[in-house]
Amino acid sequence: MTDPRKTPAGRVLALLDLTSLNAGDDLQSTVDLCRRALTPYGEVAAVCVWPKLAHVARRTLNTLGGRGVRVASVCNFPGGDAPLADVVEEVRKTLAEGADEIDLVYPWRKLKAGQETGAVELIRTCKTLCGPYHRLKVILETGELADPELIRTACREAIAGGADFLKTSTGKAANATPEAVRVMLEAIAEEGGNVGLKVSGGLRTLADAQVYVKLAEGRFGAAWIKPEHLRFGASTLLDDLLRELRGEAEPVSTRDY
């Protein structure tokens, strides 16, 4: 059978931020999420959880031997409209809880209303807290912005503030679309392709993810497609990837997760 890293499903698996942001999430659900993240076909890129559960995810992954899986957590979520001081304190606490990556919601409501967003200051301050060792992903909520020019403005402000990734959606509102991602990739290209892309919202199948892999490959080439540049945020996508892999790939681990 095939090496999973050489299959479409295996490549997407390595780019997955396995996400659980449900109201009832707790210690047990987070442990279960981390177990799911360590599949027989390889590890996901990250798990994404509430700030209060970041420490649970980090300890669980370390215990299970998943130290290569990063812990992502959301801040200013989902509305994107908390005061600057509150967001800064939330990011500080979340990093202290063990998060490796912060998914920060951009103040998209202000942009949509034609107001000054203060986004560059917000993002720059949060990136300073993250430093060089913690990635900052900025969630633009592109489905709510809708207008390509508003999306472009949000991208440019996020990049100016020091974002490591541009992310499509919180997953709590409108889903990602190829049209929005094309605009985001154009903005990333303006900066030399050094900022990553995270697609989130409505991803359930390998076919869904492949749409965006092809868009990114078309813009930057196949070598760009790696966890440092491209992520998929989803909860149910993993199930479809595993169905694909069971039929075509050799497990890389026999550990009982």
Side-chain angles (χ1 to χ4, degrees):
M1 296 182 79
T2 308
D3 182 338
R5 292 169 295 186
K6 299 181 188 288
T7 69
R11 286 194 291 269
V12 171
L13 173 68
L15 305 172
L16 180 62
D17 284 9
L18 183 61
T19 302
S20 187
L21 296 169
N22 302 309
D25 286 350
D26 57 15
L27 187 150
Q28 187 57 56
S29 67
T30 304
V31 170
D32 292 343
L33 184 79
C34 293
R35 289 184 180 277
R36 290 183 65 215
L38 308 176
T39 85
Y41 304 95
E43 300 174 347
V44 303
V47 296
C48 185
V49 298
W50 294 113
K52 67 180 181 180
L53 295 169
H55 71 287
V56 176
R58 184 70 275 158
R59 291 180 192 172
T60 302
L61 289 166
N62 289 349
T63 299
L64 294 174
R67 289 178 177 81
V69 178
R70 301 178 75 83
V71 174
S73 196
V74 291
C75 292
N76 201 22
F77 187 93
D81 48 9
L84 174 62
D86 292 354
V87 178
V88 169
E89 184 59 22
E90 184 181 28
V91 170
R92 192 190 314 277
K93 287 181 177 179
T94 305
L95 292 170
E97 287 289 321
D100 302 298
E101 302 178 344
I102 298 294
D103 287 29
L104 175 77
V105 182
Y106 171 94
W108 60 270
R109 295 176 194 274
K110 289 182 178 179
L111 180 62
K112 193 172 182 179
Q115 303 170 359
E116 287 294 323
T117 63
V120 175
E121 179 187 3
L122 170 68
I123 294 161
R124 185 174 291 139
T125 303
C126 292
K127 180 55 188 172
T128 297
L129 287 173
C130 289
Y133 303 113
H134 301 277
R135 290 191 180 100
L136 180 65
K137 310 191 201 91
V138 178
I139 306 171
L140 306 180
E141 204 66 286
T142 55
E144 292 289 347
L145 290 176
D147 184 333
E149 288 311 309
L150 290 181
I151 295 170
R152 197 180 312 277
T153 297
C155 289
R156 289 172 173 166
E157 289 192 345
I159 291 170
D164 297 301
F165 275 76
L166 303 179
K167 179 178 173 182
T168 55
S169 170
T170 59
K172 301 296 185 182
N175 291 330
T177 65
E179 293 74 22
V181 167
R182 286 190 186 96
V183 175
M184 296 168 74
L185 288 168
E186 288 170 7
I188 291 168
E190 289 175 0
E191 299 301 316
N194 295 319
V195 175
L197 169 72
K198 179 172 174 179
V199 183
S200 183
L203 296 172
R204 294 180 177 83
T205 67
L206 174 60
D208 293 337
Q210 285 291 85
V211 170
Y212 299 105
V213 170
K214 290 175 182 175
L215 285 175
E217 278 188 348
R219 173 66 65 172
F220 296 116
W224 195 82
I225 308 301
K226 52 188 178 181
E228 292 77 20
H229 289 147
L230 181 63
R231 300 283 187 88
F232 294 105
S235 56
T236 60
L237 175 59
L238 179 61
D239 296 330
D240 192 59
L241 299 180
L242 291 176
R243 277 192 291 271
E244 294 280 343
L245 286 162
R246 288 187 191 109
E248 63 185 43
E250 183 74 25
V252 296
S253 173
T254 57
R255 284 185 293 180
D256 181 9
Y257 294 122

Short mmCIF file of all heavy atoms in Angstrom, two decimals, residues 81 106-119 150 153 157:
data_model
loop_
_atom_site.label_atom_id
_atom_site.label_comp_id
_atom_site.label_asym_id
_atom_site.label_seq_id
_atom_site.Cartn_x
_atom_site.Cartn_y
_atom_site.Cartn_z
N ASP A 81 -15.00 41.97 18.51
CA ASP A 81 -15.28 43.35 18.90
C ASP A 81 -14.96 43.66 20.36
O ASP A 81 -15.44 44.64 20.92
CB ASP A 81 -16.75 43.68 18.62
CG ASP A 81 -17.71 42.62 19.13
OD1 ASP A 81 -17.26 41.70 19.87
OD2 ASP A 81 -18.90 42.69 18.79
N TYR A 106 -10.25 39.33 13.65
CA TYR A 106 -10.10 40.70 13.15
C TYR A 106 -11.40 41.47 13.43
O TYR A 106 -12.50 40.91 13.33
CB TYR A 106 -9.80 40.62 11.65
CG TYR A 106 -9.82 41.91 10.90
CD1 TYR A 106 -8.65 42.64 10.69
CD2 TYR A 106 -11.01 42.40 10.35
CE1 TYR A 106 -8.67 43.82 9.97
CE2 TYR A 106 -11.04 43.58 9.63
CZ TYR A 106 -9.86 44.28 9.44
OH TYR A 106 -9.89 45.45 8.73
N PRO A 107 -11.33 42.77 13.72
CA PRO A 107 -12.55 43.56 13.98
C PRO A 107 -13.33 43.88 12.71
O PRO A 107 -13.46 45.02 12.28
CB PRO A 107 -12.00 44.83 14.66
CG PRO A 107 -10.60 44.96 14.17
CD PRO A 107 -10.09 43.55 13.98
N TRP A 108 -13.89 42.85 12.14
CA TRP A 108 -14.51 42.96 10.83
C TRP A 108 -15.79 43.79 10.84
O TRP A 108 -16.15 44.41 9.82
CB TRP A 108 -14.81 41.57 10.26
CG TRP A 108 -15.73 40.74 11.10
CD1 TRP A 108 -15.38 39.88 12.10
CD2 TRP A 108 -17.16 40.70 11.03
NE1 TRP A 108 -16.49 39.31 12.67
CE2 TRP A 108 -17.60 39.79 12.02
CE3 TRP A 108 -18.11 41.34 10.22
CZ2 TRP A 108 -18.95 39.51 12.22
CZ3 TRP A 108 -19.45 41.06 10.42
CH2 TRP A 108 -19.86 40.16 11.40
N ARG A 109 -16.48 43.84 11.97
CA ARG A 109 -17.72 44.62 12.02
C ARG A 109 -17.43 46.11 11.80
O ARG A 109 -18.21 46.81 11.13
CB ARG A 109 -18.42 44.43 13.37
CG ARG A 109 -18.89 43.01 13.62
CD ARG A 109 -19.50 42.87 15.01
NE ARG A 109 -19.66 41.49 15.40
CZ ARG A 109 -20.72 40.74 15.10
NH1 ARG A 109 -21.71 41.28 14.41
NH2 ARG A 109 -20.78 39.48 15.49
N LYS A 110 -16.34 46.59 12.35
CA LYS A 110 -15.97 48.00 12.16
C LYS A 110 -15.64 48.27 10.70
O LYS A 110 -16.04 49.30 10.14
CB LYS A 110 -14.77 48.36 13.06
CG LYS A 110 -15.11 48.41 14.52
CD LYS A 110 -13.89 48.83 15.35
CE LYS A 110 -14.23 48.93 16.83
NZ LYS A 110 -13.04 49.30 17.63
N LEU A 111 -14.90 47.36 10.08
CA LEU A 111 -14.56 47.56 8.67
C LEU A 111 -15.82 47.58 7.82
O LEU A 111 -15.98 48.43 6.93
CB LEU A 111 -13.62 46.44 8.20
CG LEU A 111 -13.17 46.50 6.74
CD1 LEU A 111 -12.38 47.77 6.47
CD2 LEU A 111 -12.36 45.27 6.37
N LYS A 112 -16.72 46.67 8.09
CA LYS A 112 -17.96 46.59 7.32
C LYS A 112 -18.82 47.84 7.49
O LYS A 112 -19.53 48.25 6.58
CB LYS A 112 -18.73 45.34 7.74
CG LYS A 112 -19.87 44.97 6.81
CD LYS A 112 -20.46 43.62 7.17
CE LYS A 112 -21.56 43.23 6.21
NZ LYS A 112 -22.15 41.91 6.52
N ALA A 113 -18.72 48.45 8.68
CA ALA A 113 -19.49 49.66 8.96
C ALA A 113 -18.80 50.93 8.48
O ALA A 113 -19.32 52.03 8.68
CB ALA A 113 -19.77 49.76 10.46
N GLY A 114 -17.62 50.79 7.89
CA GLY A 114 -16.90 51.96 7.39
C GLY A 114 -16.16 52.73 8.46
O GLY A 114 -15.80 53.89 8.25
N GLN A 115 -15.92 52.10 9.60
CA GLN A 115 -15.22 52.75 10.70
C GLN A 115 -13.74 52.41 10.70
O GLN A 115 -13.30 51.45 10.07
CB GLN A 115 -15.84 52.31 12.03
CG GLN A 115 -17.32 52.58 12.16
CD GLN A 115 -17.93 51.90 13.38
OE1 GLN A 115 -17.24 51.22 14.14
NE2 GLN A 115 -19.22 52.08 13.57
N GLU A 116 -12.96 53.21 11.43
CA GLU A 116 -11.56 52.86 11.66
C GLU A 116 -11.52 51.58 12.49
O GLU A 116 -12.19 51.48 13.52
CB GLU A 116 -10.84 53.98 12.40
CG GLU A 116 -10.57 55.21 11.55
CD GLU A 116 -9.58 54.92 10.43
OE1 GLU A 116 -8.63 54.15 10.65
OE2 GLU A 116 -9.78 55.46 9.33
N THR A 117 -10.74 50.62 12.06
CA THR A 117 -10.77 49.31 12.72
C THR A 117 -9.82 49.22 13.91
O THR A 117 -10.07 48.44 14.83
CB THR A 117 -10.40 48.20 11.72
OG1 THR A 117 -9.04 48.40 11.28
CG2 THR A 117 -11.33 48.20 10.53
N GLY A 118 -8.72 49.95 13.87
CA GLY A 118 -7.68 49.76 14.88
C GLY A 118 -7.01 48.41 14.78
O GLY A 118 -6.32 47.97 15.70
N ALA A 119 -7.20 47.73 13.64
CA ALA A 119 -6.74 46.35 13.49
C ALA A 119 -5.23 46.23 13.51
O ALA A 119 -4.68 45.29 14.10
CB ALA A 119 -7.30 45.74 12.21
N LEU A 150 -13.27 44.84 0.64
CA LEU A 150 -13.20 44.81 2.10
C LEU A 150 -12.29 43.67 2.55
O LEU A 150 -11.49 43.84 3.48
CB LEU A 150 -14.59 44.64 2.69
CG LEU A 150 -15.55 45.82 2.57
CD1 LEU A 150 -16.88 45.49 3.23
CD2 LEU A 150 -14.96 47.09 3.17
N THR A 153 -8.73 44.76 2.03
CA THR A 153 -8.32 45.70 3.07
C THR A 153 -7.99 44.97 4.36
O THR A 153 -6.97 45.25 5.01
CB THR A 153 -9.42 46.75 3.31
OG1 THR A 153 -9.60 47.52 2.12
CG2 THR A 153 -9.06 47.68 4.46
N GLU A 157 -4.36 44.90 6.27
CA GLU A 157 -4.19 45.36 7.65
C GLU A 157 -3.63 44.24 8.53
O GLU A 157 -2.76 44.49 9.37
CB GLU A 157 -5.53 45.85 8.21
CG GLU A 157 -5.99 47.16 7.60
CD GLU A 157 -7.14 47.80 8.36
OE1 GLU A 157 -7.78 47.11 9.19
OE2 GLU A 157 -7.39 48.99 8.13
#
